[in-house]
């Protein structure tokens, strides 16, 4: 037993790779005194830095995730004191997410980690047959053209 997931179990393999990468980035944050900060917060922080306050729906759209995933991440960030939820002045039914002063004060440290992660990813990509992001983009595009469900049903034999 090699200790690696079965390569045929692609979902397990993808989760394992994500756990390895995100787990190590989380350890770096913890070592830097940012134990409450999670790697999954970074895309939200980047969107809020670039665009200012956004609704959960807008965050979800910009990140390409479900509304539920964006909402869960925003709730975790709020519990960590990194974002606020305030009513949208243009639409009282919507709430806007924005960075707190605490999050803004952490931005230099967070941005330094982003740069280090980009450099580490470039180093890892140099060891791969193709850049990981390029491969995952290719997979996403292929599955958007024809869903994996359709592929499984098409291959299914009773």
């Amino acid at each position: 037993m090699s200790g690696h997931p079965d390569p045929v179990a692609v979902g397990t393999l993808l989760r394992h790779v994500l756990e390895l990468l995100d787990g190590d980035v989380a350890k770096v944050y913890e070592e830097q005194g940012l134990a409450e900060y999670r790697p999954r917060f970074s895309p939200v922080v980047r969107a809020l830095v670039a665009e200012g306050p956004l609704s959960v729906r807008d965050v979800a759209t910009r990140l390409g995730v479900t509304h539920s995933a964006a909402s869960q991440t925003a709730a975790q960030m709020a519990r960590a004191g990194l974002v606020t939820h305030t009513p949208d002045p243009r639409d009282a039914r919507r709430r806007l997410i924005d960075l707190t002063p605490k999050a803004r004060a952490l931005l230099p440290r967070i941005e330094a980690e982003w740069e280090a992660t980009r450099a580490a990813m470039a180093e890892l990509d140099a060891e791969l047959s193709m850049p990981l992001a390029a491969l995952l983009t290719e997979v996403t595009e292929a599955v958007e053209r024809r869903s994996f469900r359709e592929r499984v049903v098409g291959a299914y034999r009773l």
Side-chain angles (χ1 to χ4, degrees), residues 17 35-36 39-40 42 62 77 97 102-103 117 133 135 143-144 154:
V17 168
E36 77 279 0
R40 71 182 298 174
S42 291
R62 280 162 181 77
M77 293 177 75
I97 305 165
K102 174 183 176 179
T117 297
L135 177 60
V143 173
E144 285 173 347

Side-chain angles (χ1 to χ4, degrees), residues 55-67 70:
S55 70
V56 171
R57 185 166 311 288
D58 289 340
V59 168
T61 299
R62 280 162 181 77
L63 303 184
V65 299
T66 65
H67 183 277

Side-chain angles (χ1 to χ4, degrees), residues 30-103:
E30 190 173 333
E31 291 162 359
Q32 298 300 317
L34 299 172
E36 77 279 0
Y37 194 86
R38 300 285 173 265
R40 71 182 298 174
F41 297 171
S42 291
V44 176
V45 171
R46 282 196 293 270
L48 295 175
V49 166
E51 301 187 46
L54 294 168
S55 70
V56 171
R57 185 166 311 288
D58 289 340
V59 168
T61 299
R62 280 162 181 77
L63 303 184
V65 299
T66 65
H67 183 277
S68 175
S71 181
Q72 288 173 14
T73 299
Q76 289 176 335
M77 293 177 75
R79 284 192 295 277
L82 299 173
V83 297
T84 58
H85 289 84
T86 57
D88 184 337
R90 294 174 307 222
D91 183 350
R93 296 169 297 175
R94 288 182 1 144
R95 296 181 56 76
L96 298 178
I97 305 165
D98 198 10
L99 296 176
T100 63
K102 174 183 176 179

